[in-house]
Amino acid sequence: MKQNKTKLSKFLYFIFFIMLFTFNGCVSYRHSVNVSSYSTNENIGRKYFLQVSEKKLKDKTITLQVQEFEKYIDIVLAQRGYIKVDNIKNADQYIVFDYDISAPQTRTYSYEEPVYDTVLRPYTRYKKIDGVYYPYTHWEREYEVVGYRTRVGTRTFYSKNIYINSFNRTKTKNIWQISGNITDGNGDLRYAFPYLVKGISGYIGTNSRQIINVIVPDDDLEVQMMKKGEISTSAVAK
């Protein structure tokens, strides 16, 4: 009887881990964006001229990348009532953006790993002799955890950042600024950028007064539509 209980217990553990694996597979990965914003709260109009930082503007090898990233920023600005102009003379705000990704950062960590081995376990069985049941000890080998050992592992992280600064048209006064950061094991800035933009979008033109953590699901609908270019921005004002 005890042997049957042991087998049942193992089966239930197996079912539990299968369900746990299935559940985790259905949970969307979440991007953690740290956001910090400042603003003078001045109302100077919403027409803007957007440009990447001077260093990236001069680098002709990343022109297409800059254009793609600029598109995402235009989308969230349009959603917040900003109107893009193609001439700074017609703008109320001169907005400059920049971005970067760190070199790989390796971190070590320790964890406890279970040690498995076979262990002899006694079980009571019964043998029928002349109509009488007599107990006897039956030994079986069980494969189970017999201890734990400390292991040391390494993980590689990348820090991805976005910076946006808004000035008046003459570039003499900073109106608002915002920054966002994602730190994870993915070294693809192009993949992370729309999540960065979505993470900071709710704090554009505001003063967060502290670092705010914004969670953006990997399957966020707005991000997916941004990537496909299915969210239209406002028409460029002339």
Side-chain angles (χ1 to χ4, degrees):
M1 182 65 71
K2 190 170 183 179
Q3 183 182 20
N4 291 336
K5 288 183 178 180
T6 302
K7 291 181 178 180
L8 177 61
S9 177
K10 289 181 178 179
F11 176 74
L12 291 176
Y13 274 118
F14 175 76
I15 294 298
F16 169 77
F17 283 114
I18 290 296
M19 292 177 64
L20 184 63
F21 175 80
T22 302
F23 174 77
N24 287 337
C26 295
V27 175
S28 171
Y29 179 77
R30 303 188 303 168
H31 301 267
S32 178
V33 184
N34 291 316
V35 183
S36 182
S37 65
Y38 302 85
S39 176
T40 62
N41 294 317
E42 291 186 44
N43 186 9
I44 64 169
R46 294 296 183 95
K47 292 183 179 180
Y48 73 95
F49 179 81
L50 181 65
Q51 187 170 284
V52 74
S53 65
E54 186 175 351
K55 181 178 180 180
K56 286 187 172 63
L57 187 63
K58 292 179 179 179
D59 188 350
K60 301 307 179 183
T61 65
I62 59 171
T63 299
L64 294 179
Q65 181 189 73
V66 169
Q67 290 175 351
E68 180 177 317
F69 291 178
E70 181 175 333
K71 177 191 69 175
Y72 297 136
I73 297 173
D74 283 336
I75 287 174
V76 296
L77 287 175
Q79 289 173 338
R80 279 146 190 81
Y82 287 78
I83 301 173
K84 188 174 186 178
V85 298
D86 59 2
N87 191 321
I88 194 170
K89 294 179 180 180
N90 300 324
D92 301 309
Q93 300 183 39
Y94 170 66
I95 300 178
V96 182
F97 73 97
D98 202 354
Y99 55 88
D100 59 50
I101 181 171
S102 70
Q105 306 168 46
T106 303
R107 301 176 187 174
T108 60
Y109 63 96
S110 60
Y111 62 97
E112 296 298 308
E113 179 183 76
V115 178
Y116 292 87
D117 201 354
T118 55
V119 179
L120 278 174
R121 296 293 185 192
Y123 295 98
T124 300
R125 299 283 181 84
Y126 293 88
K127 182 183 295 185
K128 187 177 181 180
I129 302 176
D130 297 330
V132 180
Y133 287 92
Y134 295 92
Y136 70 96
T137 300
H138 172 76
W139 293 83
E140 286 189 6
R141 287 193 173 274
E142 300 286 346
Y143 190 67
E144 58 187 59
V145 176
V146 296
Y148 291 86
R149 58 188 170 197
T150 301
R151 292 287 196 183
V152 176
T154 60
R155 289 176 181 170
T156 301
F157 293 90
Y158 300 83
S159 180
K160 287 150 284 189
N161 304 282
I162 182 174
Y163 317 91
I164 305 179
N165 274 274
S166 175
F167 302 87
N168 60 359
R169 185 173 61 228
T170 57
K171 311 175 190 177
T172 58
K173 186 175 183 180
N174 196 186
I175 307 301
W176 56 262
Q177 62 187 59
I178 190 167
S179 63
N181 165 268
I182 290 178
T183 300
D184 57 26
N186 189 327
D188 186 354
L189 177 59
R190 188 180 187 186
Y191 170 77
F193 199 83
Y195 295 100
L196 274 171
V197 174
K198 173 61 188 296
I200 68 172
S201 62
Y203 295 90
I204 289 175
T206 70
N207 191 340
S208 65
R209 303 191 184 281
Q210 60 183 334
I211 295 177
I212 308 294
N213 182 252
V214 179
I215 301 299
V216 183
D218 193 65
D219 57 357
D220 183 86
L221 180 59
E222 285 191 19
V223 171
Q224 301 309 315
M225 294 179 70
M226 285 167 60
K227 289 180 178 180
K228 295 178 181 179
E230 295 178 1
I231 299 180
S232 61
T233 63
S234 59
V236 176
K238 302 297 183 181

